[in-house]
Amino acid sequence: MKRRSLPVAAALAASAALLLTACGSSDDSSKVNDEIPGADTAESGAASTPSTPSGDTPARPDMKLPGDVKETFEGWKTGDPLEDAALADAGRSQTAVTYAVTQGDPDVPALSFYQAKTALAGSQDWVKGIVDAGLTYSGSVRYYAPNINVFDKESAGVVYCADESGAYNKNRKTNKVDKAPATDQSYVLYSTRLEKNGEGVWQTTKLESERGNKKCIR
């Protein structure tokens, strides 16, 4: 049995079928840019989570994850206020997908708060596929080596890696965790577009991913 795609990966809707096959491959169907500047210089010390936002945005949705689910974000700050705000919401966009899976609901407000357009539609379909399969998620995921390109004050692109080697599928009814061994497919390269909405939230509007990208394998 090969390691299946994990619930934490906010892949495009087309990748949902990969998890639903009993012994399917974990390769994502979408391909992203093979370059990720800074991937070799990501922080290796203590991880940090996205910082608490200032009061210039609406009330943020609660996204408290279960005790057996952990996310860390390494190198998620550049010191530039604009870049850090966009990176923080990019991280929250990932957490929103994880939260939707653990809640068993693709329509949780948090997901539409941090995602929009094709990214939201794809993530909702993907979460639904996981929930329909009777699965949730357990373990830890590390997000690292972010590379941000700010196009203007309201749009940016972010490329980053995810290490899912410590994350596993979990049966929603029995709570049995499938601790399949990690492979190169446990590492994911994400390429996203963010757009700042009228309320000041940097929403992820486009999302692509590639499993096993060599830039992310550590």
Side-chain angles (χ1 to χ4, degrees):
M1 173 88 66
K2 295 183 180 179
R3 183 182 179 87
R4 296 173 293 180
S5 298
L6 296 171
V8 71
L12 296 177
S15 67
L18 298 175
L19 182 139
L20 298 179
T21 56
C23 297
S25 167
S26 57
D27 293 336
D28 285 340
S29 60
S30 55
K31 299 296 180 181
V32 295
N33 188 351
D34 193 47
E35 297 299 323
I36 178 168
D40 296 330
T41 58
E43 295 179 6
S44 57
S48 61
T49 55
S51 59
T52 302
S54 62
D56 59 351
T57 56
R60 301 273 173 163
D62 176 44
M63 296 192 296
K64 185 177 181 180
L65 300 176
D68 64 338
V69 177
K70 182 180 179 181
E71 294 181 328
T72 56
F73 296 82
E74 295 181 1
W76 224 250
K77 290 185 178 181
T78 68
D80 179 272
L82 185 63
E83 292 180 348
D84 286 349
L87 283 171
D89 278 345
R92 295 185 188 105
S93 173
Q94 280 285 12
T95 300
V97 177
T98 305
Y99 180 71
V101 170
T102 60
Q103 293 295 301
D105 183 6
D107 296 317
V108 291
L111 198 50
S112 57
F113 188 92
Y114 289 112
Q115 295 192 7
K117 299 181 180 179
T118 59
L120 175 60
S123 291
Q124 286 178 323
D125 285 348
W126 192 78
V127 170
K128 183 179 184 302
I130 293 170
V131 174
D132 289 349
L135 298 174
T136 183
Y137 151 66
S138 178
S140 62
V141 175
R142 177 173 62 99
Y143 298 102
Y144 59 98
N147 183 61
I148 182 168
N149 183 10
V150 176
F151 307 132
D152 53 48
K153 292 183 178 180
E154 296 182 348
S155 63
V158 182
V159 178
Y160 56 94
C161 291
D163 173 6
E164 297 181 351
S165 60
Y168 308 97
N169 289 325
K170 178 180 176 180
N171 187 289
R172 192 174 293 276
K173 290 184 178 180
T174 66
N175 289 324
K176 182 179 179 181
V177 178
D178 178 13
K179 289 195 173 183
T183 69
D184 287 353
Q185 300 302 303
S186 303
Y187 298 86
V188 189
L189 177 67
Y190 286 98
S191 179
T192 67
R193 175 179 173 83
L194 280 67
E195 297 178 15
K196 190 175 182 180
N197 67 14
E199 297 179 322
V201 180
W202 286 87
Q203 293 182 307
T204 298
T205 57
K206 295 181 69 175
L207 176 66
E208 294 182 342
S209 64
E210 182 186 355
R211 288 188 175 275
N213 187 288
K214 293 181 180 179
K215 295 293 182 180
C216 295
I217 297 174
R218 295 293 180 86

